[in-house]
Amino acid sequence: MGARSRSGCLSCRRRKKKCDEAKPICAACLRNALPCVWPDTSPLKATPEVLSTLQPQTQTFTVRPVPASDAWALTIGAPRDLSPATIPASPSNFPLLGSAASGSETWRLLDHYLKDTANRLACLQDSENPFLHTILPVALGDELIMNSILALSGVHMMQRLPRLNLEMQSLTWSRYTRALQQLRIDLTETFNDGSNVDAAWRALLVVLIFYLLEATRGNDPKAMQRHLEGAHHLMAHVLRSSKTPTQPSIVSFATELYVYNAALASFTMNSPPALIMPPGMELNNLGATDREIGVLCGCAYELFILVPQVSALLRNFGSCDSSATSFKESLIMEYYSIRAQIENWKPRSDQRELVLCAELYQQSLLLLLDFRFTLNSTDEIVDHAFWRLDSIISQLPPSSPIATTANWPLFAFGIHARKPHHRETIRSYLQSLVTFFGMGVMSTALRQLEELWMSEPDQEVISKFFTNQNELLLIC
């Protein structure tokens, strides 16, 4: 056997195999269907002149107009009320991007993040979208955050373009690998020096971006679970600190992102950790005092924060011993209490589509509870719930930005769908969401429902869904 190369791809090095160093993908990775990731040899710091020399003379992608809010203007502090502009064709015009954005393919990742990925993750768009106006300005001077959003963009691009060229795929996983390596180093320093609260919040933000990346990818629930568990630990860590962070926008955004995803993940996560609710985590205390809605999920805060309670109640009831009468009675009392909170919920917004999506959460939670606890016919309960569902989604286009949050309640409805037209309602809407948003977790939700529908979703099947602690994590 020939000597192993020290300059081969990371996959071959890790497996201690010889690499033929063919780029963008070596023969060994091609043969074994492995991601061929190459170490980033670009300098840690680059002057505008160096960036210019790294940029190829010919561009391989089209420069397109961006929205009037002009995401690039946000990154350099320009006013938001700009007329439509075009993204420059060379990263040398943005020297603050540093080595993380040198090269035309990397520039393409950033272009995709600006024009597609960021606006698929939040209900507020363009200049109001925190994935642009909060994260991007920070990422310009932070290689770790920049690498994490580039990797997220690349994974989203793979979902959009299944035949994406190998060079782009390799670059995506290279950025992901590099960000993970950077994060490990930073986490060690963060926990060794507990006084650096800004570093802890930064690490929390990056871990949550990794969670979004895996949700976008949609096929590795264990990776999602690891990232979310890391977010739990980091949230507990930052809340124990007595130091005041210097970047309140990062704190507000990371907090909302954590609570939103952790709450919904408890529905299907294997033994979910208890949701950590930061002090003052009420709707009016998030972000600016005059803000009426959440930047990620509209006006459904009080509803999705109840998801962990509903999930725990359903699991406890499903595993309750039939002889434990007093325990069952306490669970029934809890059912009435939670149900009253859900039924009495009122939206704090006058934006129609936001209210409709929040009502979708409300009706899905009521269906989950009533199906298990009421003595009424389950057929009546399901038929009435789907009647309400039809009314809501007939007014909520799948292309609406807030529909990015519809995956979770649709999945909750889907596990109860018995009749062909019920299933077709869910199937059709989820397929539209997959097409518009390009999120792998939406495809995974539909695939899991199709498998569930192979058996009749009666009381026993739905009970097993909770007591078996399904491993799928859903982000909505």
Side-chain angles (χ1 to χ4, degrees):
M1 178 181 296
R4 298 188 184 101
S5 172
R6 294 185 178 182
S7 58
C9 74
L10 296 180
S11 296
C12 288
R13 292 191 203 180
R14 185 171 56 251
R15 296 165 60 239
K16 297 182 179 180
K17 300 293 185 181
K18 183 179 179 180
C19 181
D20 66 359
E21 301 181 36
K23 294 183 180 181
I25 182 167
C26 72
C29 289
L30 186 62
R31 182 173 60 254
N32 294 290
L34 295 173
C36 192
V37 178
W38 294 87
D40 194 326
T41 58
S42 59
L44 291 178
K45 298 294 180 180
T47 64
E49 291 76 18
V50 171
L51 285 174
S52 181
T53 60
L54 289 173
Q55 178 70 18
Q57 296 302 310
T58 57
Q59 297 292 325
T60 58
F61 58 97
T62 304
V63 179
R64 303 181 304 276
V66 295
S69 56
D70 190 5
W72 276 115
L74 297 176
T75 71
I76 55 176
R80 294 183 184 179
D81 54 346
L82 297 177
S83 58
T86 56
I87 289 179
S90 170
S92 60
N93 293 323
F94 286 90
L96 289 178
L97 289 174
S99 62
S102 59
S104 63
E105 296 305 309
T106 304
W107 194 242
R108 185 180 170 194
L109 289 180
L110 196 53
D111 179 68
H112 182 77
Y113 177 83
L114 285 164
K115 296 176 179 177
D116 194 358
T117 304
N119 277 335
R120 297 295 175 254
L121 297 172
C123 68
L124 298 186
Q125 302 284 282
D126 302 327
S127 65
E128 298 301 319
N129 185 342
F131 286 97
L132 293 172
H133 73 70
T134 297
I135 292 183
L136 203 56
V138 177
L140 289 172
D142 190 313
E143 191 175 12
L144 171 58
I145 296 178
M146 178 62 78
N147 278 328
S148 66
I149 66 172
L150 290 175
L152 170 61
S153 176
V155 169
H156 186 241
M157 194 183 295
M158 290 181 201
Q159 294 296 319
R160 290 288 203 202
L161 305 168
R163 297 182 182 275
L164 187 66
N165 67 68
L166 293 174
E167 185 177 357
M168 289 299 299
Q169 295 184 45
S170 177
L171 177 61
T172 295
W173 296 122
S174 174
R175 293 299 175 185
Y176 190 26
T177 301
R178 184 165 181 175
L180 284 170
Q181 293 169 342
Q182 292 173 303
L183 181 62
R184 290 191 190 101
I185 295 171
D186 287 5
L187 285 175
T188 301
E189 295 175 355
T190 296
F191 285 101
N192 287 340
D193 180 13
S195 63
N196 194 343
V197 67
D198 284 324
W201 278 106
R202 170 176 174 262
L204 174 60
L205 175 62
V206 171
V207 168
L208 291 169
I209 293 174
F210 288 162
Y211 180 83
L212 293 176
L213 181 151
E214 294 296 345
T216 303
R217 191 181 179 195
N219 61 359
D220 194 348
K222 291 187 181 301
M224 293 178 70
Q225 181 169 338
R226 286 193 299 271
H227 292 318
L228 195 56
E229 287 172 348
H232 280 290
H233 289 297
L234 284 165
M235 178 58 75
H237 177 78
V238 296
L239 292 182
R240 285 195 300 266
S241 175
S242 59
K243 304 290 184 179
T244 302
T246 60
Q247 293 181 304
S249 62
I250 291 293
V251 171
S252 178
F253 175 61
T255 299
E256 184 176 349
L257 190 60
Y258 162 77
V259 173
Y260 171 53
N261 289 302
L264 297 186
S266 67
F267 181 62
T268 50
M269 187 174 179
N270 188 8
S271 301
L275 175 66
I276 300 172
M277 288 297 294
M281 183 65 183
E282 291 89 22
L283 183 65
N284 290 334
N285 291 334
L286 281 174
T289 56
D290 60 346
R291 192 178 69 181
E292 296 183 2
I293 60 174
V295 296
L296 293 173
C297 49
C299 58
Y301 273 106
E302 297 95 336
L303 294 173
F304 75 71
I305 288 174
L306 290 173
V307 171
Q309 296 180 49
V310 172
S311 301
L313 178 60
L314 293 171
R315 287 196 172 98
N316 288 337
F317 191 80
S319 59
C320 181
D321 192 321
S322 58
S323 62
T325 306
S326 60
F327 182 54
K328 233 170 195 181
E329 288 177 352
S330 69
L331 293 178
I332 292 173
M333 293 300 295
E334 186 179 355
Y335 153 70
Y336 283 116
S337 173
I338 295 176
R339 193 188 193 286
Q341 294 179 64
I342 296 169
E343 193 168 36
N344 294 330
W345 167 85
K346 301 296 181 186
R348 304 193 191 192
S349 173
D350 58 1
Q351 296 188 41
R352 183 59 179 157
E353 290 184 356
L354 300 184
V355 174
L356 285 167
C357 204
E359 289 175 351
L360 191 57
Y361 275 82
Q362 181 186 39
Q363 295 305 315
S364 64
L365 289 170
L366 290 175
L367 173 58
L368 284 164
L369 289 172
D370 291 347
F371 191 88
R372 290 295 290 144
F373 282 92
T374 66
L375 299 177
N376 296 340
S377 164
T378 54
D379 285 341
E380 289 182 14
I381 292 169
V382 172
D383 285 343
H384 178 73
F386 271 86
W387 174 77
R388 296 297 300 270
L389 173 67
D390 287 337
S391 174
I392 292 170
I393 65 176
S394 66
Q395 306 171 69
L396 182 64
S399 58
S400 170
I402 189 60
T404 191
T405 70
N407 196 39
W408 187 93
L410 286 170
F411 187 84
F413 268 96
I415 64 175
H416 297 84
R418 301 180 173 193
K419 299 178 179 178
H421 65 280
H422 291 164
R423 296 175 182 178
E424 185 53 37
T425 296
I426 300 296
R427 180 184 293 115
S428 176
Y429 204 90
L430 276 176
Q431 287 173 339
S432 297
L433 293 182
V434 170
T435 300
F436 185 77
F437 291 98
M439 302 294 288
V441 75
M442 295 173 175
S443 302
T444 303
L446 180 56
R447 184 173 65 252
Q448 287 238 336
L449 287 175
E450 295 286 3
E451 293 173 1
L452 179 65
W453 292 338
M454 296 296 291
S455 58
E456 189 65 23
D458 54 16
Q459 279 275 16
E460 183 180 359
V461 171
I462 294 175
S463 177
K464 286 180 179 179
F465 177 85
F466 290 102
T467 57
N468 286 349
Q469 296 180 331
N470 193 334
E471 287 187 341
L472 176 65
L473 294 180
L474 295 177
I475 181 174
C476 309

